[in-house]
Amino acid sequence: MAHPANSGFLRGTLPVRLIIVCLLVRTRAVPAASAMQPNILLIMADDLGIGDLGCYGNDTLRTPNIDRLAGGGVRLTQHLAAAPLCTPSRAAFLTGRHAFRSGMDASDGYRALQWNAGSGGLPENETTFATVLQRTGYATGLIGKWHQGVNCNSRTDHCHHPLRHGFGYFYGMPFTLVNDCDPGRPPEVDASLRAQLARCTQLMALGILTLAAGRACGLVSVSRKAVVGLASLGLLLFVSWYASFGFVRRWNCILMRNHDVVEQPMVLESAAPRLLKEAISYIDRNKGRPFLLLVSLLHVHIPLVTSKAFLGKSRHGLYGDHVEEMDWLVGRILTALEERGLNNKTFTYFTSDHGGHLEARDEHGQLGGWNGIYRGGKGMGGWEGGIRVPGIVRWPGVLPAGRVIQEPTSLMDIFPTVVQLAGGQVPQDRVIDGRSLLPLLQGTAEHSAHDFLFHYCGKYLHAARWHDKDSGRLWKVHYMTPRFHPEGAGACYGRGVCPCSGQGVTRHSPPLLFDLTSDPSEARPLSPGSEPRYPVVIATVEQAVQRHRTTLSPVPPQLSLGRILWLPWLQPCCGTFPFCSCSQDGDDRET
């Protein structure tokens, strides 16, 4: 295109001039947004269901602040997590690539990091959006949950720590909230192993008592040393079982500021206000320069410790109270932007890491989220309820307010989006699965850049979707689905989450096919008799799957048993190990 200063080119009729001006304005839109280097505020909830928010159809929970964010920005209705559990979903979000490409999804067994003192975590050779933005001059901060590992070889190497992945400031949990963080809750971390220890302890005690009684009565001939040896083994089992309760909280439920443990174990009741204070303080310290702030909320993951101001106020019990408290926290952060005149300078994004946790229940009722009309939930890699999440983006004056986009988008798209906004460069030496959302958000593109999206549960491909842009139909193919327990229940009650493989799934041959355009609840599987295009759709998606598989390459697994195990020399600790203990430090802050 000729330069607008070329007066010869501008001679002509008025309509021609108007057309040229319109074209210039249109072609300048995306570069202008990219060159502005806005502040970037990313807010991620934990375990929030898409149906928990008013702006996504809930009329019984009060979420006015998040609804206001959506009303002033763009709402994505088909926003998808790359994995249905915390660790892999967040790894994909941070790197813009499926978690299995970095070894951060399960090959078999454990599907998320279990301990602060495991050696697994986000590898040092992975590039996060924070790393790229830091290179472009952004201040980069993370407040809240990390769950991407801490150490490799010693308790101070911090090879997986946020500060090794582009964040210049970190305050929060290196792990994640679990029931064990609340002394009044039943155990969650390695609960099955701890139950086995308890059974073994009981059986060993019974055996020792029987043997000792038999020896005393002369019924069996066994040496005193053998009885003492077995008693010592029984004592060891008992100590392992008993210690697992108190020390899980002390070792996993901690707060760090940068490289230092500042509260161990953490006080749940004060965690939310501390994180809020830290987020606002970070904005204050960096309001004079472009900043990236990722607020990784601890809400609304169990154990749902909620302040008195919100207890009993919702219509949905403790979980509803916790959602409404989360909305208040988000509102306080948004107000902080407004009061500092940063609204128009800030690209703000809100989402959840995956769907609501259907199996989270106690004797009082449901403790997990609602996924609206969508089938399934947390842990289910194929069903929409496990992966369809809120996606709200606001940038006043740049993005149209109140716009709704129904195109398929992914959490992995945030990586290239914020890199483009910052004027950075997406890495060229690796597969990046995300695509920039800017053309779609600004209206310069009609359709998503994704023709196909692939939905994994651990290392297993459970489903794939095809957005047929010619017909406008959205197809979803399921290769595996979890077996609900009890049958037809809609979740895997009695276990933490549904499994990805083995006896807990059904393999479909031929695959299940749904048309999400007319059946977003995935209630009516199609067949060759009911859908004339059935064979064409199945074949087209299968070809896309085969092309996708050519991009895969083996990497060291970060969630293998050897990397998941608790290793005492890797345990972050303040005070004397193993009785690590400290309370919050003062109000000193680093810039």
Side-chain angles (χ1 to χ4, degrees), residues 26 40 63 109 143 154 191 202 209 327 447 473 549 553 579:
R26 184 175 179 84
I40 297 170
T63 56
I143 308 296
S154 75
Q202 293 164 358
L209 290 173
D327 179 77
H447 294 297
R473 297 176 78 178
R549 284 181 169 150
S553 57
F579 306 102

Side-chain angles (χ1 to χ4, degrees), residues 78 406-408 446-448 450-453 465-475 517:
Q78 200 182 149
Q406 299 182 7
E407 296 285 306
E446 182 181 357
H447 294 297
S448 163
H450 296 287
D451 291 322
F452 299 91
L453 283 167
R465 80 182 60 215
W466 173 32
H467 185 206
D468 183 358
K469 295 169 183 173
D470 292 334
S471 69
R473 297 176 78 178
L474 183 66
W475 306 101
T517 313

Side-chain angles (χ1 to χ4, degrees), residues 340-361:
R340 289 151 182 80
L342 298 176
N343 250 6
N344 292 354
K345 302 176 183 177
T346 304
F347 177 94
T348 301
Y349 167 78
F350 177 87
T351 192
S352 176
D353 54 354
H354 47 68
H357 191 184
L358 301 181
E359 292 87 355
R361 309 169 86 179

Side-chain angles (χ1 to χ4, degrees), residues 358-361 366 484-486 489-495 498:
L358 301 181
E359 292 87 355
R361 309 169 86 179
Q366 184 70 20
F484 295 143
H485 178 78
C492 297
Y493 297 109
R495 30 192 333 170
C498 290

Side-chain angles (χ1 to χ4, degrees), residues 367-387:
L367 297 176
W370 183 51
N371 298 313
I373 64 171
Y374 304 109
R375 192 173 183 179
K378 176 179 178 176
M380 305 182 207
W383 294 123
E384 289 291 285
I387 55 177

Side-chain angles (χ1 to χ4, degrees), residues 85-147:
L85 280 181
C86 305
T87 295
S89 174
R90 290 162 185 270
F93 170 70
L94 288 163
T95 63
R97 33 201 262 125
H98 280 287
F100 53 74
R101 298 193 189 277
S102 58
M104 289 293 282
D105 215 338
S107 52
D108 276 302
Y110 291 102
R111 296 168 58 191
L113 296 173
Q114 300 291 303
W115 300 94
N116 276 324
S119 63
L122 190 63
E124 292 182 86
N125 62 358
E126 285 297 321
T127 300
T128 69
F129 52 69
T131 300
V132 180
L133 267 64
Q134 196 174 52
R135 292 170 184 162
T136 65
Y138 269 70
T140 54
L142 167 60
I143 308 296
K145 171 177 171 173
W146 175 239
H147 209 187

Side-chain angles (χ1 to χ4, degrees), residues 238-259:
F238 173 76
V239 169
S240 299
W241 166 71
Y242 183 79
S244 69
F245 287 91
F247 284 109
V248 168
R249 177 171 176 255
R250 190 169 298 276
W251 291 337
N252 271 350
C253 307
I254 68 176
L255 289 174
M256 296 183 75
R257 173 174 287 110
N258 294 329
H259 290 296

Side-chain angles (χ1 to χ4, degrees), residues 184-263:
R185 284 280 179 185
E188 179 180 355
V189 175
D190 265 340
S192 59
L193 176 61
R194 290 152 79 173
Q196 290 174 14
L197 278 173
R199 285 193 296 270
C200 289
T201 300
Q202 293 164 358
L203 290 173
M204 182 67 75
L206 180 62
I208 292 167
L209 290 173
T210 303
L211 194 61
R215 181 178 182 275
C217 296
L219 299 176
V220 293
S221 177
V222 63
S223 69
R224 185 172 179 276
K225 280 187 176 181
V227 175
V228 171
L230 286 172
S232 299
L233 180 58
L235 180 63
L236 179 62
L237 284 170
F238 173 76
V239 169
S240 299
W241 166 71
Y242 183 79
S244 69
F245 287 91
F247 284 109
V248 168
R249 177 171 176 255
R250 190 169 298 276
W251 291 337
N252 271 350
C253 307
I254 68 176
L255 289 174
M256 296 183 75
R257 173 174 287 110
N258 294 329
H259 290 296
D260 300 321
V261 178
V262 295
E263 190 168 86

